[in-house]
Amino acid sequence: MNGAALVAIAATIGNFLQGWDNATIAGAVVYIKKELELSAAIEGLIVAMSLIGATLITTCSGTISDWVGRRPMLICSSMFYFLSGIIMLWSPNVYVLLLARLLNGFGTGLAVTLVPLYISETAPSEIRGLLNTLPQFTGSGGMFLAYCMIFGMSLLASPSWRLMLGVLSVPALVYFALTVFYLPESPRWLVSKGKMLEAKRVLQRLRGREDVSGEIALLVEGLAVGGDASIEEYIIGPVDELDEDQEPTADRDAIKLYGPEEGLSWIAKPVTGQSRLSIVSRQGSLVTPSVPLMDPLVTLFGSVHEKLPETGSMRSMLFPNFGSMFSTAEPNMKNDDEWDEESLQREEGEGYRSDDVESDDNLHSPLISRQTTSLEKDGMGPQSHGSVLAMQGNAGDASSMGIGGGWQLAWKWSEREGEDGTKEGGFKRIYLHQEGGVPGSRRGSLVSLPGDHAANVDGDYIQAAALVSQPALFSKDLMNQRRPAGPAMAHPSQSAGEVSILAALLEPGVKRALIVGIGIQILQQFSGINGVLYYTPQILQQAGVDVLLSNLGLGSNSASFLISAATNLLMLPSIAVAMRFMDVAGRRWLLLTTIPVLVISLAALVIGNVFDFGEVVHAVVSTVCVVIYFCTFVMGYGPIPNILCSEIFPTRVRGICIAICALVFWICDVIVTYTLPVMLTSIGLAGVFGIYAVVCVVSWIFIFLRVPETKGMPLEVITEFFAVGAKQGAAKNE
């Protein structure tokens, strides 16, 4: 965990620079206007140029990051920050300053778009939410420190706005050094390009362990977009010890699972009839939710979290001492270097393994060998009752179990009779997840724990939900070869390139995820944060804070900077609370809990501006409401939209989808920023805050009906759920 956390902290320096720049330009523009004698239009353009640059760069950042990688784009972000800081430090005239602000916007746009994406692709699922809240924390921290610097400089006889803006280049240089020499490339992007060896090394560094084969297999499976996924239910118990009351299907449908200890094995059998999950059936269809208009996908995600075992840990006890699930055909496994796109390709018909090349089980074990499939096609059948699974790993090595969030990755061999009477078979990928609280399940007694080999496992079983789909690298064309040589699957980069970006974007699951991402970004921008920021100085002035500070000998500008620093300081503990609960209570719970507080705060501001309660009462109420609004916003609606957008899209199109959502964010930001003065003139403060309150109510309804809970789930499982939900939703509408 430490490796992923340090990498995330280093990456979020880009957000620190964004916050720093937002604060410095707000302070420096006061002195720029005086020295350069700017009109109001040019003054506004200087501030807005960074926003324009961020919007422009976002239009292409996603596509380029999917092409060249996440790390090069973060390096470019740091370079834009550094160059803009140097140019602003020089700035002989307003035109050069505008150019510097544009470059600064490029750096900001790349950081805001790609840092959440990068953290999601490198962080373990158990702490992904916590680490992805860091951009909000570092951004507010950057604003606080910058306001402190500006406050100190404002006390000088002749403050230099060039120095205020140019200081940005110092932390930007640190950011550049970290992106070049410390930050690794995203392992998910590396796998999508077939760079398996480098992806393995990065994962070993991020996870702090040697055995990362299970996660490598997961990343490979994440290359698929869409697919014919279904939800099934399995009973897992000791071999021949399943409860007969569960009516499992015939043994030919069973999947045999192996533990690292000799003689320790279990059978997973599909359950017939209604699933114990409240919204899935044996065939994977979605039952209509109890709440009208609620997306069944929300209920589907929620059922997973409601069924988590009560173990006191985020890791399921489904496989407490399992390693990763591997192919049984170890003698025929190919070398890991053959999977890497940079290695030489072997000639057709050559053996799988070269005696003079060292094999790396940690990399190739999750990949099923082609010869195994050939043997199965020839009627010899796979080992272990139709399974292509085996287990290897150290007993009790909890860090290498499963794929995160209590999920386990497996594959099975399925066989059916074709129209001409011949038998046809194929692999199916399975994401298994234990259902907690199932009657008859005794968690922890199903398998023997490390050091307790005599534990009784007879008669115990566990019920598990399963997402079943086509493996990402399985090629039906390869299966038609009688005795093929080489790997059983297509190369990762070949598989990732089979589906065009446009076709991937039109997949029902991706479209549904885009609706969630775009919708929540639009509603966040119109929820009032810009309006409250704009109105804060006026509120604090009415509260008499500026008078109090002027009595202490501070000028109006210095008092304003000090107040802004204090406001940002108040946000930091609130963000820390959000970090604590992001992976415990969840994203959806935080949103549904904090948005009503935003509504109440805005409603109180409306009432305070409509009715005359006296200056003192009005000032106190307004100040309290603003502080509550800020602190509540950064706990939920501030960081979570970016977190969700970085989690819900498939690896193949994650970059471009996040860029689409970010572009919507910046466009809405421009609209809100430039319509706010007009709205204040036409409908007044009460009208503006009233509209914001209504938008917050609409946001709560949208989140309640459409936004699922993604805490603790691997990214690949999240996208698979979206595919299943979209498929079943389309079937229901037909």
Side-chain angles (χ1 to χ4, degrees):
M1 299 293 185
N2 290 337
L6 292 175
V7 165
I9 292 172
T12 54
I13 294 179
N15 301 91
F16 174 89
L17 296 175
Q18 178 204 6
W20 179 282
D21 179 72
N22 288 342
T24 53
I25 190 61
V29 74
V30 175
Y31 304 101
I32 296 173
K33 182 178 180 181
K34 290 181 180 179
E35 179 180 329
L36 301 181
E37 299 179 351
L38 303 177
S39 64
I42 299 299
E43 177 189 353
L45 185 60
I46 290 174
V47 177
M49 188 58 73
S50 178
L51 185 61
I52 295 172
T55 305
L56 292 176
I57 198 70
T58 301
T59 59
C60 59
S61 61
T63 303
I64 297 176
S65 71
D66 285 336
W67 174 38
V68 303
R70 319 315 191 195
R71 178 172 169 268
M73 300 301 284
L74 293 180
I75 294 174
C76 289
S77 174
S78 66
M79 293 173 63
F80 283 131
Y81 276 129
F82 178 75
L83 289 176
S84 67
I86 294 296
I87 296 175
M88 286 188 291
L89 181 63
W90 170 55
S91 292
N93 53 56
V94 68
Y95 303 105
V96 174
L97 179 60
L98 288 174
L99 173 62
R101 298 299 301 159
L102 183 67
L103 294 176
N104 181 272
F106 291 162
T108 299
L110 292 177
V112 171
T113 303
L114 295 174
V115 169
L117 164 63
Y118 180 80
I119 293 176
S120 285
E121 292 190 339
T122 56
S125 57
E126 290 85 355
I127 60 171
R128 187 177 62 240
L130 182 151
L131 296 182
N132 241 334
T133 314
L134 282 173
Q136 183 80 38
F137 186 87
T138 56
S140 296
M143 292 184 71
F144 167 70
L145 294 177
Y147 273 122
C148 289
M149 179 197 71
I150 295 172
F151 169 72
M153 296 181 69
S154 69
L155 300 178
L156 301 176
S158 56
S160 170
W161 61 264
R162 291 181 176 84
L163 183 59
M164 290 181 184
L165 298 176
V167 171
L168 175 73
S169 59
V170 177
L173 187 61
V174 175
Y175 186 40
F176 175 77
L178 288 173
T179 55
V180 172
F181 299 109
Y182 182 72
L183 291 186
E185 182 55 85
S186 162
R188 284 178 167 84
W189 182 85
L190 291 171
V191 168
S192 72
K193 300 301 180 182
K195 299 182 178 181
M196 308 296 287
L197 289 174
E198 188 176 351
K200 174 193 171 184
R201 288 191 291 267
V202 170
L203 277 176
Q204 287 173 333
R205 172 186 167 188
L206 292 173
R207 303 297 180 256
R209 63 173 186 267
E210 289 297 316
D211 182 14
V212 293
S213 48
E215 192 163 358
I216 283 285
L218 173 68
L219 304 193
V220 170
E221 291 297 343
L223 298 178
V225 178
D228 188 18
S230 62
I231 302 174
E232 298 180 359
E233 195 83 3
Y234 286 89
I235 292 291
I236 301 176
V239 177
D240 300 327
E241 293 292 340
L242 285 175
D243 193 326
E244 295 181 358
D245 294 338
Q246 298 302 314
E247 298 181 2
T249 59
D251 284 345
R252 62 185 176 85
D253 293 327
I255 306 170
K256 195 167 185 180
L257 311 177
Y258 291 91
E261 300 175 11
E262 184 177 358
L264 195 61
S265 60
W266 302 269
I267 287 288
K269 297 184 179 181
V271 177
T272 57
Q274 182 66 32
S275 165
R276 292 182 185 271
L277 281 173
S278 59
I279 50 95
V280 297
S281 70
R282 172 67 180 88
Q283 292 75 28
S285 60
L286 305 182
V287 177
T288 303
S290 57
V291 180
L293 302 180
M294 177 176 282
D295 192 335
L297 188 65
V298 175
T299 314
L300 177 61
F301 273 88
S303 67
V304 173
H305 300 290
E306 291 170 3
K307 300 294 183 180
L308 281 174
E310 299 174 0
T311 59
S313 170
M314 300 191 70
R315 182 177 288 108
S316 169
M317 288 296 291
L318 175 58
F319 304 113
N321 67 336
F322 275 21
S324 300
M325 295 188 171
F326 304 142
S327 167
T328 57
E330 291 183 9
N332 296 323
M333 285 298 179
K334 62 187 295 301
N335 289 323
D336 56 10
D337 58 348
E338 296 178 45
W339 281 90
D340 196 277
E341 66 169 10
E342 298 173 353
S343 65
L344 296 175
Q345 299 296 322
R346 293 182 181 274
E347 297 292 333
E348 181 70 16
E350 190 177 349
Y352 304 134
R353 186 187 298 272
S354 174
D355 293 335
D356 59 347
V357 179
E358 183 180 357
S359 171
D360 189 342
D361 290 339
N362 284 336
L363 178 62
H364 69 240
S365 292
L367 307 177
I368 306 167
S369 77
R370 178 185 267 183
Q371 187 165 349
T372 303
T373 64
S374 301
L375 296 175
E376 290 162 348
K377 283 187 64 181
D378 291 341
M380 299 178 64
Q383 301 180 24
S384 309
H385 301 276
S387 168
V388 291
L389 311 180
M391 307 295 300
Q392 81 177 32
N394 299 322
D397 183 11
S399 63
S400 64
M401 298 175 193
I403 55 177
W407 290 87
Q408 190 78 17
L409 174 62
W411 296 268
K412 73 173 181 177
W413 171 265
S414 60
E415 190 174 69
R416 63 183 179 85
E417 191 170 308
E419 296 179 358
D420 56 356
T422 60
K423 290 185 177 181
E424 300 176 353
F427 287 111
K428 289 289 186 181
R429 176 189 67 231
I430 306 175
Y431 294 128
L432 284 168
H433 190 278
Q434 177 188 349
E435 289 187 81
V438 177
S441 173
R442 297 206 291 271
R443 297 181 299 277
S445 63
L446 174 64
V447 294
S448 60
L449 298 176
D452 183 17
H453 301 280
N456 178 27
V457 298
D458 293 339
D460 294 325
Y461 64 89
I462 280 179
Q463 191 153 347
L467 277 171
V468 182
S469 185
Q470 190 78 13
L473 305 186
F474 175 74
S475 173
K476 293 182 179 179
D477 296 335
L478 294 177
M479 292 297 298
N480 295 327
Q481 302 181 33
R482 186 69 175 173
R483 291 269 184 187
M489 304 182 213
H491 191 278
S493 59
Q494 174 188 346
S495 176
E498 288 179 353
V499 181
S500 67
I501 292 178
L502 179 60
L505 290 175
L506 295 178
E507 281 287 337
V510 177
K511 288 193 294 184
R512 180 162 296 197
L514 277 172
I515 292 174
V516 172
I518 293 174
I520 199 169
Q521 291 285 10
I522 293 174
L523 292 171
Q524 183 217 40
Q525 279 301 297
F526 287 95
S527 65
I529 184 62
N530 289 318
V532 177
L533 283 171
Y534 183 90
Y535 182 51
T536 297
Q538 182 179 341
I539 292 176
L540 296 176
Q541 182 180 9
Q542 291 175 348
V545 175
D546 58 338
V547 176
L548 175 63
L549 294 176
S550 64
N551 291 335
L552 298 177
L554 297 178
S556 59
N557 290 333
S558 299
S560 176
F561 300 150
L562 184 60
I563 291 170
S564 298
T567 303
N568 282 277
L569 180 62
L570 288 174
M571 294 183 187
L572 297 180
S574 301
I575 302 173
V577 172
M579 293 172 67
R580 171 66 179 84
F581 288 100
M582 195 66 68
D583 291 308
V584 178
R587 295 82 156 125
R588 176 179 164 87
W589 182 88
L590 279 173
L591 287 173
L592 295 178
T593 303
T594 56
I595 289 179
V597 180
L598 301 182
V599 175
I600 294 172
S601 301
L602 291 170
L605 288 172
V606 171
I607 295 172
N609 282 276
V610 171
F611 301 98
D612 185 9
F613 296 104
E615 291 186 4
V616 176
V617 174
H618 179 266
V620 171
V621 171
S622 297
T623 303
V624 170
C625 288
V626 166
V627 171
I628 292 176
Y629 182 93
F630 279 141
C631 294
T632 307
F633 185 87
V634 297
M635 287 178 63
Y637 224 175
I640 292 178
N642 283 339
I643 295 176
L644 284 173
C645 289
S646 66
E647 294 177 328
I648 59 180
F649 301 112
T651 301
R652 176 79 174 90
V653 291
R654 186 172 291 125
I656 189 171
C657 286
I658 290 179
I660 291 172
C661 295
L663 182 61
V664 170
F665 168 87
W666 290 115
I667 292 174
C668 292
D669 193 2
V670 171
I671 293 173
V672 172
T673 301
Y674 284 96
T675 57
L676 180 59
V678 178
M679 293 173 64
L680 287 172
T681 303
S682 58
I683 61 178
L685 280 172
V688 170
F689 287 138
I691 292 175
Y692 290 157
V694 171
V695 173
C696 285
V697 172
V698 174
S699 299
W700 192 93
I701 296 172
F702 176 80
I703 291 164
F704 180 74
L705 296 178
R706 298 293 172 182
V707 178
E709 180 55 75
T710 59
K711 65 173 182 179
M713 300 176 68
L715 299 181
E716 290 72 17
V717 175
I718 293 172
T719 57
E720 193 83 353
F721 265 106
F722 269 93
V724 172
K727 169 191 169 186
Q728 299 300 335
K732 179 184 175 182
N733 295 330
E734 291 178 355

